[in-house]
Amino acid sequence: MLITFEGIDGSGKSTQIEKVKNYLTEKGYDVHVFREPGGTPLSEQIRDILLNSKEHIHPLAESLLFSAARAQLVATRIRPLLDEGAIVILDRFYDSTTAYQGYGRGAVPVSEIEQLNALATQNLEPDITIYLKLDPEKAYQRRKDIREEDRMERAGADFFKRVSAGFDDLAERENRIVALDSSRSPDETFREIIGHLEQRIPRL
Ligand code: ADP
Ligand code: TYD
């Protein structure tokens, strides 16, 4: 079972993933969480370039770097765990590339980003994607005091509006994506997430 979480920076993904992981672990499931980009030594090195490099990174190169980090994570960690029957939870997956590099940067057509996503994951699709929907201004307010902006977050307010609209488009197109209002309390959002997971995980 592959569960992915998506949404703009500060939308509450890490908060909800922690709760869901604890909930499923207590129920006896073998649960593994990875963040993207990251989750393997090589993918973490690529993450450092993507979030901290002082170089200008061309949007195509950026898309390929996110995809390279993902290819390594899928092939060496996610696939083997899924084959063993584990539950894998991802803090972002390829929908982020579609939203950030496709809709946000706008320099590579969304259709080409989607081909790249299929290649990097070897067509692995999530069973369910939880999209935590939050107004970009609210997300900025939530994250601004807790951490310094990274290279992606410095792209600015208009960029985040395009990314957010991209996630909205994706959620309308894809049945696996469940869009949830993340402006509510963490517990309210969590209860709704569990309701959706119960429909998909047998015996939960
Ligand atoms: P993300 O992983 O999507 O960047 P986080 O889970 O790190 O988001 O949340 C960003 C900030 O907002 C954190 O300080 C977190 O404690 C806070 N936060 C998370 N969920 C909520 C919520 N439902 N209401 C208010 N603040 C929240
Ligand atoms: P991270 O700190 O993990 O996200 P968050 O701020 O939501 O906790 O940072 C990852 C950044 O990389 C975030 O700005 C989204 C961006 N990103 C892309 O642009 N494309 C991608 O494919 C992925 C996975 C992330």
Side-chain angles (χ1 to χ4, degrees):
M1 161 80 48
L2 178 59
I3 304 166
T4 64
F5 282 74
E6 297 284 0
I8 57 174
D9 305 57
S11 57
K13 298 181 297 301
S14 313
T15 304
Q16 294 300 329
I17 286 171
E18 185 63 23
K19 287 167 154 308
V20 170
K21 184 197 172 181
N22 292 341
Y23 179 88
L24 293 176
T25 303
E26 272 175 27
K27 293 251 169 189
Y29 290 95
D30 180 25
V31 185
H32 298 259
V33 175
F34 301 103
R35 66 170 180 185
E36 276 229 63
T40 78
L42 177 70
S43 309
E44 290 289 337
Q45 286 179 315
I46 298 172
R47 176 187 179 91
D48 186 44
I49 297 173
L50 281 163
L51 300 188
N52 301 318
S53 176
K54 300 279 180 278
E55 299 265 332
H56 170 71
I57 303 180
H58 185 277
L60 177 57
E62 184 178 275
S63 306
L64 291 166
L65 283 168
F66 277 112
S67 299
R70 178 166 308 130
Q72 182 77 5
L73 177 64
V74 169
T76 67
R77 305 298 312 276
I78 300 176
R79 278 280 187 203
L81 285 167
L82 293 176
D83 289 346
E84 285 169 16
I87 294 183
V88 176
I89 301 179
L90 296 182
D91 189 338
R92 300 188 179 281
F93 199 37
Y94 59 78
D95 294 321
S96 282
T97 311
T98 310
Y100 282 76
Q101 280 63 55
Y103 288 83
R105 297 287 191 216
V108 181
V110 168
S111 59
E112 290 181 17
I113 295 282
E114 288 178 338
Q115 287 177 8
L116 186 58
N117 292 342
L119 179 67
T121 60
Q122 295 288 285
N123 300 308
L124 176 65
E125 283 183 27
D127 295 286
I128 179 169
T129 298
I130 306 291
Y131 163 35
L132 297 177
K133 193 170 155 51
L134 189 65
D135 176 67
E137 178 56 31
K138 284 196 186 130
Y140 174 73
Q141 291 303 329
R142 278 189 191 176
R143 71 176 188 262
K144 76 174 178 13
D145 295 331
I146 55 166
R147 57 190 187 227
E148 267 187 42
E149 289 190 319
D150 60 37
R151 194 185 66 84
M152 294 303 300
E153 287 166 346
R154 283 193 294 272
D158 285 347
F159 174 75
F160 275 103
K161 279 189 198 146
R162 291 194 298 276
V163 172
S164 186
F167 279 127
D168 291 348
D169 266 13
L170 274 171
E172 290 207 350
R173 282 201 272 135
E174 298 278 352
N175 281 332
R176 72 179 156 79
I177 303 181
V178 179
L180 300 183
D181 171 13
S182 196
S183 67
R184 299 165 297 167
S185 74
D187 281 343
E188 273 175 283
T189 307
F190 174 67
R191 275 194 294 277
E192 213 187 331
I193 292 172
I194 295 303
H196 286 283
L197 294 183
E198 278 171 348
Q199 290 170 19
R200 286 175 170 80
I201 306 179
R203 293 184 314 281
L204 191 68

mmCIF file with all atom_site columns, all heavy atoms in Angstrom, residues 179-198:
data_model
loop_
_atom_site.group_PDB
_atom_site.id
_atom_site.type_symbol
_atom_site.label_atom_id
_atom_site.label_alt_id
_atom_site.label_comp_id
_atom_site.label_asym_id
_atom_site.label_entity_id
_atom_site.label_seq_id
_atom_site.pdbx_PDB_ins_code
_atom_site.Cartn_x
_atom_site.Cartn_y
_atom_site.Cartn_z
_atom_site.occupancy
_atom_site.B_iso_or_equiv
_atom_site.pdbx_formal_charge
_atom_site.auth_seq_id
_atom_site.auth_comp_id
_atom_site.auth_asym_id
_atom_site.auth_atom_id
_atom_site.pdbx_PDB_model_num
ATOM 1   N N   . ALA A 1 179 ? -8.744  15.654 -1.975 1.00 0.00 ? 179 ALA A N   1
ATOM 2   C CA  . ALA A 1 179 ? -8.398  17.014 -1.544 1.00 0.00 ? 179 ALA A CA  1
ATOM 3   C C   . ALA A 1 179 ? -9.098  17.305 -0.221 1.00 0.00 ? 179 ALA A C   1
ATOM 4   O O   . ALA A 1 179 ? -10.319 17.171 -0.111 1.00 0.00 ? 179 ALA A O   1
ATOM 5   C CB  . ALA A 1 179 ? -8.818  18.022 -2.611 1.00 0.00 ? 179 ALA A CB  1
ATOM 6   N N   . LEU A 1 180 ? -8.332  17.684 0.803  1.00 0.00 ? 180 LEU A N   1
ATOM 7   C CA  . LEU A 1 180 ? -8.910  17.972 2.118  1.00 0.00 ? 180 LEU A CA  1
ATOM 8   C C   . LEU A 1 180 ? -8.557  19.394 2.546  1.00 0.00 ? 180 LEU A C   1
ATOM 9   O O   . LEU A 1 180 ? -7.431  19.855 2.324  1.00 0.00 ? 180 LEU A O   1
ATOM 10  C CB  . LEU A 1 180 ? -8.372  16.984 3.162  1.00 0.00 ? 180 LEU A CB  1
ATOM 11  C CG  . LEU A 1 180 ? -8.641  15.502 2.916  1.00 0.00 ? 180 LEU A CG  1
ATOM 12  C CD1 . LEU A 1 180 ? -8.106  14.672 4.071  1.00 0.00 ? 180 LEU A CD1 1
ATOM 13  C CD2 . LEU A 1 180 ? -10.131 15.246 2.749  1.00 0.00 ? 180 LEU A CD2 1
ATOM 14  N N   . ASP A 1 181 ? -9.500  20.034 3.209  1.00 0.00 ? 181 ASP A N   1
ATOM 15  C CA  . ASP A 1 181 ? -9.304  21.399 3.699  1.00 0.00 ? 181 ASP A CA  1
ATOM 16  C C   . ASP A 1 181 ? -8.354  21.368 4.900  1.00 0.00 ? 181 ASP A C   1
ATOM 17  O O   . ASP A 1 181 ? -8.723  20.865 5.961  1.00 0.00 ? 181 ASP A O   1
ATOM 18  C CB  . ASP A 1 181 ? -10.685 21.955 4.074  1.00 0.00 ? 181 ASP A CB  1
ATOM 19  C CG  . ASP A 1 181 ? -10.596 23.272 4.799  1.00 0.00 ? 181 ASP A CG  1
ATOM 20  O OD1 . ASP A 1 181 ? -9.504  23.882 4.808  1.00 0.00 ? 181 ASP A OD1 1
ATOM 21  O OD2 . ASP A 1 181 ? -11.629 23.699 5.361  1.00 0.00 ? 181 ASP A OD2 1
ATOM 22  N N   . SER A 1 182 ? -7.158  21.937 4.719  1.00 0.00 ? 182 SER A N   1
ATOM 23  C CA  . SER A 1 182 ? -6.147  21.872 5.780  1.00 0.00 ? 182 SER A CA  1
ATOM 24  C C   . SER A 1 182 ? -6.110  23.143 6.638  1.00 0.00 ? 182 SER A C   1
ATOM 25  O O   . SER A 1 182 ? -5.175  23.354 7.392  1.00 0.00 ? 182 SER A O   1
ATOM 26  C CB  . SER A 1 182 ? -4.772  21.628 5.152  1.00 0.00 ? 182 SER A CB  1
ATOM 27  O OG  . SER A 1 182 ? -3.851  21.211 6.116  1.00 0.00 ? 182 SER A OG  1
ATOM 28  N N   . SER A 1 183 ? -7.178  23.970 6.515  1.00 0.00 ? 183 SER A N   1
ATOM 29  C CA  . SER A 1 183 ? -7.203  25.187 7.342  1.00 0.00 ? 183 SER A CA  1
ATOM 30  C C   . SER A 1 183 ? -7.813  24.887 8.723  1.00 0.00 ? 183 SER A C   1
ATOM 31  O O   . SER A 1 183 ? -7.825  25.726 9.604  1.00 0.00 ? 183 SER A O   1
ATOM 32  C CB  . SER A 1 183 ? -8.005  26.292 6.646  1.00 0.00 ? 183 SER A CB  1
ATOM 33  O OG  . SER A 1 183 ? -9.364  25.934 6.580  1.00 0.00 ? 183 SER A OG  1
ATOM 34  N N   . ARG A 1 184 ? -8.322  23.666 8.894  1.00 0.00 ? 184 ARG A N   1
ATOM 35  C CA  . ARG A 1 184 ? -8.932  23.288 10.177 1.00 0.00 ? 184 ARG A CA  1
ATOM 36  C C   . ARG A 1 184 ? -7.869  22.823 11.175 1.00 0.00 ? 184 ARG A C   1
ATOM 37  O O   . ARG A 1 184 ? -6.687  22.822 10.861 1.00 0.00 ? 184 ARG A O   1
ATOM 38  C CB  . ARG A 1 184 ? -9.944  22.160 9.934  1.00 0.00 ? 184 ARG A CB  1
ATOM 39  C CG  . ARG A 1 184 ? -11.072 22.579 9.010  1.00 0.00 ? 184 ARG A CG  1
ATOM 40  C CD  . ARG A 1 184 ? -11.824 21.376 8.506  1.00 0.00 ? 184 ARG A CD  1
ATOM 41  N NE  . ARG A 1 184 ? -10.980 20.509 7.695  1.00 0.00 ? 184 ARG A NE  1
ATOM 42  C CZ  . ARG A 1 184 ? -11.297 19.286 7.335  1.00 0.00 ? 184 ARG A CZ  1
ATOM 43  N NH1 . ARG A 1 184 ? -12.450 18.755 7.702  1.00 0.00 ? 184 ARG A NH1 1
ATOM 44  N NH2 . ARG A 1 184 ? -10.484 18.559 6.593  1.00 0.00 ? 184 ARG A NH2 1
ATOM 45  N N   . SER A 1 185 ? -8.320  22.386 12.346 1.00 0.00 ? 185 SER A N   1
ATOM 46  C CA  . SER A 1 185 ? -7.352  21.942 13.350 1.00 0.00 ? 185 SER A CA  1
ATOM 47  C C   . SER A 1 185 ? -6.709  20.637 12.866 1.00 0.00 ? 185 SER A C   1
ATOM 48  O O   . SER A 1 185 ? -7.310  19.889 12.087 1.00 0.00 ? 185 SER A O   1
ATOM 49  C CB  . SER A 1 185 ? -8.062  21.692 14.683 1.00 0.00 ? 185 SER A CB  1
ATOM 50  O OG  . SER A 1 185 ? -8.811  20.501 14.594 1.00 0.00 ? 185 SER A OG  1
ATOM 51  N N   . PRO A 1 186 ? -5.479  20.352 13.343 1.00 0.00 ? 186 PRO A N   1
ATOM 52  C CA  . PRO A 1 186 ? -4.823  19.102 12.958 1.00 0.00 ? 186 PRO A CA  1
ATOM 53  C C   . PRO A 1 186 ? -5.693  17.875 13.243 1.00 0.00 ? 186 PRO A C   1
ATOM 54  O O   . PRO A 1 186 ? -5.747  16.948 12.431 1.00 0.00 ? 186 PRO A O   1
ATOM 55  C CB  . PRO A 1 186 ? -3.554  19.089 13.812 1.00 0.00 ? 186 PRO A CB  1
ATOM 56  C CG  . PRO A 1 186 ? -3.253  20.531 14.068 1.00 0.00 ? 186 PRO A CG  1
ATOM 57  C CD  . PRO A 1 186 ? -4.597  21.211 14.160 1.00 0.00 ? 186 PRO A CD  1
ATOM 58  N N   . ASP A 1 187 ? -6.400  17.861 14.378 1.00 0.00 ? 187 ASP A N   1
ATOM 59  C CA  . ASP A 1 187 ? -7.194  16.672 14.718 1.00 0.00 ? 187 ASP A CA  1
ATOM 60  C C   . ASP A 1 187 ? -8.385  16.468 13.776 1.00 0.00 ? 187 ASP A C   1
ATOM 61  O O   . ASP A 1 187 ? -8.702  15.341 13.407 1.00 0.00 ? 187 ASP A O   1
ATOM 62  C CB  . ASP A 1 187 ? -7.687  16.753 16.168 1.00 0.00 ? 187 ASP A CB  1
ATOM 63  C CG  . ASP A 1 187 ? -6.571  16.377 17.136 1.00 0.00 ? 187 ASP A CG  1
ATOM 64  O OD1 . ASP A 1 187 ? -5.578  15.758 16.675 1.00 0.00 ? 187 ASP A OD1 1
ATOM 65  O OD2 . ASP A 1 187 ? -6.681  16.715 18.323 1.00 0.00 ? 187 ASP A OD2 1
ATOM 66  N N   . GLU A 1 188 ? -9.021  17.585 13.389 1.00 0.00 ? 188 GLU A N   1
ATOM 67  C CA  . GLU A 1 188 ? -10.149 17.454 12.444 1.00 0.00 ? 188 GLU A CA  1
ATOM 68  C C   . GLU A 1 188 ? -9.680  16.882 11.118 1.00 0.00 ? 188 GLU A C   1
ATOM 69  O O   . GLU A 1 188 ? -10.305 15.984 10.538 1.00 0.00 ? 188 GLU A O   1
ATOM 70  C CB  . GLU A 1 188 ? -10.772 18.833 12.184 1.00 0.00 ? 188 GLU A CB  1
ATOM 71  C CG  . GLU A 1 188 ? -11.842 19.249 13.163 1.00 0.00 ? 188 GLU A CG  1
ATOM 72  C CD  . GLU A 1 188 ? -12.294 20.665 12.869 1.00 0.00 ? 188 GLU A CD  1
ATOM 73  O OE1 . GLU A 1 188 ? -11.552 21.618 13.235 1.00 0.00 ? 188 GLU A OE1 1
ATOM 74  O OE2 . GLU A 1 188 ? -13.361 20.826 12.257 1.00 0.00 ? 188 GLU A OE2 1
ATOM 75  N N   . THR A 1 189 ? -8.572  17.424 10.610 1.00 0.00 ? 189 THR A N   1
ATOM 76  C CA  . THR A 1 189 ? -8.045  16.945 9.328  1.00 0.00 ? 189 THR A CA  1
ATOM 77  C C   . THR A 1 189 ? -7.639  15.475 9.453  1.00 0.00 ? 189 THR A C   1
ATOM 78  O O   . THR A 1 189 ? -7.924  14.664 8.566  1.00 0.00 ? 189 THR A O   1
ATOM 79  C CB  . THR A 1 189 ? -6.836  17.801 8.902  1.00 0.00 ? 189 THR A CB  1
ATOM 80  O OG1 . THR A 1 189 ? -7.236  19.165 8.925  1.00 0.00 ? 189 THR A OG1 1
ATOM 81  C CG2 . THR A 1 189 ? -6.360  17.435 7.510  1.00 0.00 ? 189 THR A CG2 1
ATOM 82  N N   . PHE A 1 190 ? -7.000  15.133 10.569 1.00 0.00 ? 190 PHE A N   1
ATOM 83  C CA  . PHE A 1 190 ? -6.552  13.752 10.790 1.00 0.00 ? 190 PHE A CA  1
ATOM 84  C C   . PHE A 1 190 ? -7.734  12.779 10.747 1.00 0.00 ? 190 PHE A C   1
ATOM 85  O O   . PHE A 1 190 ? -7.671  11.739 10.089 1.00 0.00 ? 190 PHE A O   1
ATOM 86  C CB  . PHE A 1 190 ? -5.818  13.657 12.136 1.00 0.00 ? 190 PHE A CB  1
ATOM 87  C CG  . PHE A 1 190 ? -5.454  12.259 12.524 1.00 0.00 ? 190 PHE A CG  1
ATOM 88  C CD1 . PHE A 1 190 ? -4.510  11.540 11.798 1.00 0.00 ? 190 PHE A CD1 1
ATOM 89  C CD2 . PHE A 1 190 ? -6.048  11.643 13.624 1.00 0.00 ? 190 PHE A CD2 1
ATOM 90  C CE1 . PHE A 1 190 ? -4.174  10.233 12.159 1.00 0.00 ? 190 PHE A CE1 1
ATOM 91  C CE2 . PHE A 1 190 ? -5.716  10.347 13.985 1.00 0.00 ? 190 PHE A CE2 1
ATOM 92  C CZ  . PHE A 1 190 ? -4.781  9.643  13.251 1.00 0.00 ? 190 PHE A CZ  1
ATOM 93  N N   . ARG A 1 191 ? -8.834  13.140 11.432 1.00 0.00 ? 191 ARG A N   1
ATOM 94  C CA  . ARG A 1 191 ? -9.994  12.234 11.448 1.00 0.00 ? 191 ARG A CA  1
ATOM 95  C C   . ARG A 1 191 ? -10.521 11.992 10.035 1.00 0.00 ? 191 ARG A C   1
ATOM 96  O O   . ARG A 1 191 ? -10.919 10.884 9.682  1.00 0.00 ? 191 ARG A O   1
ATOM 97  C CB  . ARG A 1 191 ? -11.093 12.793 12.346 1.00 0.00 ? 191 ARG A CB  1
ATOM 98  C CG  . ARG A 1 191 ? -10.897 12.420 13.818 1.00 0.00 ? 191 ARG A CG  1
ATOM 99  C CD  . ARG A 1 191 ? -12.156 12.671 14.635 1.00 0.00 ? 191 ARG A CD  1
ATOM 100 N NE  . ARG A 1 191 ? -12.476 14.095 14.714 1.00 0.00 ? 191 ARG A NE  1
ATOM 101 C CZ  . ARG A 1 191 ? -11.931 14.936 15.588 1.00 0.00 ? 191 ARG A CZ  1
ATOM 102 N NH1 . ARG A 1 191 ? -11.051 14.486 16.472 1.00 0.00 ? 191 ARG A NH1 1
ATOM 103 N NH2 . ARG A 1 191 ? -12.265 16.210 15.610 1.00 0.00 ? 191 ARG A NH2 1
ATOM 104 N N   . GLU A 1 192 ? -10.510 13.037 9.224  1.00 0.00 ? 192 GLU A N   1
ATOM 105 C CA  . GLU A 1 192 ? -10.999 12.856 7.854  1.00 0.00 ? 192 GLU A CA  1
ATOM 106 C C   . GLU A 1 192 ? -10.046 11.967 7.043  1.00 0.00 ? 192 GLU A C   1
ATOM 107 O O   . GLU A 1 192 ? -10.486 11.134 6.255  1.00 0.00 ? 192 GLU A O   1
ATOM 108 C CB  . GLU A 1 192 ? -11.181 14.223 7.174  1.00 0.00 ? 192 GLU A CB  1
ATOM 109 C CG  . GLU A 1 192 ? -12.356 14.184 6.206  1.00 0.00 ? 192 GLU A CG  1
ATOM 110 C CD  . GLU A 1 192 ? -12.489 15.445 5.374  1.00 0.00 ? 192 GLU A CD  1
ATOM 111 O OE1 . GLU A 1 192 ? -12.085 16.529 5.843  1.00 0.00 ? 192 GLU A OE1 1
ATOM 112 O OE2 . GLU A 1 192 ? -12.997 15.334 4.243  1.00 0.00 ? 192 GLU A OE2 1
ATOM 113 N N   . ILE A 1 193 ? -8.758  12.144 7.251  1.00 0.00 ? 193 ILE A N   1
ATOM 114 C CA  . ILE A 1 193 ? -7.774  11.300 6.546  1.00 0.00 ? 193 ILE A CA  1
ATOM 115 C C   . ILE A 1 193 ? -8.014  9.831  6.897  1.00 0.00 ? 193 ILE A C   1
ATOM 116 O O   . ILE A 1 193 ? -8.064  8.969  6.006  1.00 0.00 ? 193 ILE A O   1
ATOM 117 C CB  . ILE A 1 193 ? -6.327  11.708 6.921  1.00 0.00 ? 193 ILE A CB  1
ATOM 118 C CG1 . ILE A 1 193 ? -6.003  13.096 6.364  1.00 0.00 ? 193 ILE A CG1 1
ATOM 119 C CG2 . ILE A 1 193 ? -5.315  10.675 6.394  1.00 0.00 ? 193 ILE A CG2 1
ATOM 120 C CD1 . ILE A 1 193 ? -4.673  13.661 6.837  1.00 0.00 ? 193 ILE A CD1 1
ATOM 121 N N   . ILE A 1 194 ? -8.181  9.551  8.192  1.00 0.00 ? 194 ILE A N   1
ATOM 122 C CA  . ILE A 1 194 ? -8.384  8.155  8.614  1.00 0.00 ? 194 ILE A CA  1
ATOM 123 C C   . ILE A 1 194 ? -9.655  7.585  7.971  1.00 0.00 ? 194 ILE A C   1
ATOM 124 O O   . ILE A 1 194 ? -9.682  6.442  7.518  1.00 0.00 ? 194 ILE A O   1
ATOM 125 C CB  . ILE A 1 194 ? -8.438  8.046  10.160 1.00 0.00 ? 194 ILE A CB  1
ATOM 126 C CG1 . ILE A 1 194 ? -7.082  8.424  10.752 1.00 0.00 ? 194 ILE A CG1 1
ATOM 127 C CG2 . ILE A 1 194 ? -8.846  6.639  10.611 1.00 0.00 ? 194 ILE A CG2 1
ATOM 128 C CD1 . ILE A 1 194 ? -5.904  7.595  10.245 1.00 0.00 ? 194 ILE A CD1 1
ATOM 129 N N   . GLY A 1 195 ? -10.685 8.407  7.885  1.00 0.00 ? 195 GLY A N   1
ATOM 130 C CA  . GLY A 1 195 ? -11.923 7.963  7.223  1.00 0.00 ? 195 GLY A CA  1
ATOM 131 C C   . GLY A 1 195 ? -11.659 7.508  5.784  1.00 0.00 ? 195 GLY A C   1
ATOM 132 O O   . GLY A 1 195 ? -12.154 6.464  5.344  1.00 0.00 ? 195 GLY A O   1
ATOM 133 N N   . HIS A 1 196 ? -10.852 8.269  5.060  1.00 0.00 ? 196 HIS A N   1
ATOM 134 C CA  . HIS A 1 196 ? -10.532 7.899  3.669  1.00 0.00 ? 196 HIS A CA  1
ATOM 135 C C   . HIS A 1 196 ? -9.647  6.656  3.609  1.00 0.00 ? 196 HIS A C   1
ATOM 136 O O   . HIS A 1 196 ? -9.821  5.805  2.734  1.00 0.00 ? 196 HIS A O   1
ATOM 137 C CB  . HIS A 1 196 ? -9.869  9.069  2.950  1.00 0.00 ? 196 HIS A CB  1
ATOM 138 C CG  . HIS A 1 196 ? -10.831 10.154 2.600  1.00 0.00 ? 196 HIS A CG  1
ATOM 139 N ND1 . HIS A 1 196 ? -11.705 10.059 1.539  1.00 0.00 ? 196 HIS A ND1 1
ATOM 140 C CD2 . HIS A 1 196 ? -11.082 11.350 3.188  1.00 0.00 ? 196 HIS A CD2 1
ATOM 141 C CE1 . HIS A 1 196 ? -12.455 11.154 1.481  1.00 0.00 ? 196 HIS A CE1 1
ATOM 142 N NE2 . HIS A 1 196 ? -12.096 11.953 2.477  1.00 0.00 ? 196 HIS A NE2 1
ATOM 143 N N   . LEU A 1 197 ? -8.704  6.547  4.551  1.00 0.00 ? 197 LEU A N   1
ATOM 144 C CA  . LEU A 1 197 ? -7.816  5.378  4.538  1.00 0.00 ? 197 LEU A CA  1
ATOM 145 C C   . LEU A 1 197 ? -8.600  4.106  4.864  1.00 0.00 ? 197 LEU A C   1
ATOM 146 O O   . LEU A 1 197 ? -8.343  3.041  4.293  1.00 0.00 ? 197 LEU A O   1
ATOM 147 C CB  . LEU A 1 197 ? -6.663  5.550  5.534  1.00 0.00 ? 197 LEU A CB  1
ATOM 148 C CG  . LEU A 1 197 ? -5.664  6.670  5.212  1.00 0.00 ? 197 LEU A CG  1
ATOM 149 C CD1 . LEU A 1 197 ? -4.539  6.680  6.247  1.00 0.00 ? 197 LEU A CD1 1
ATOM 150 C CD2 . LEU A 1 197 ? -5.074  6.508  3.810  1.00 0.00 ? 197 LEU A CD2 1
ATOM 151 N N   . GLU A 1 198 ? -9.571  4.234  5.801  1.00 0.00 ? 198 GLU A N   1
ATOM 152 C CA  . GLU A 1 198 ? -10.366 3.059  6.189  1.00 0.00 ? 198 GLU A CA  1
ATOM 153 C C   . GLU A 1 198 ? -11.112 2.468  4.995  1.00 0.00 ? 198 GLU A C   1
ATOM 154 O O   . GLU A 1 198 ? -11.318 1.269  4.917  1.00 0.00 ? 198 GLU A O   1
ATOM 155 C CB  . GLU A 1 198 ? -11.371 3.431  7.284  1.00 0.00 ? 198 GLU A CB  1
ATOM 156 C CG  . GLU A 1 198 ? -10.736 3.427  8.662  1.00 0.00 ? 198 GLU A CG  1
ATOM 157 C CD  . GLU A 1 198 ? -11.655 4.013  9.729  1.00 0.00 ? 198 GLU A CD  1
ATOM 158 O OE1 . GLU A 1 198 ? -12.695 4.623  9.380  1.00 0.00 ? 198 GLU A OE1 1
ATOM 159 O OE2 . GLU A 1 198 ? -11.306 3.862  10.915 1.00 0.00 ? 198 GLU A OE2 1
#
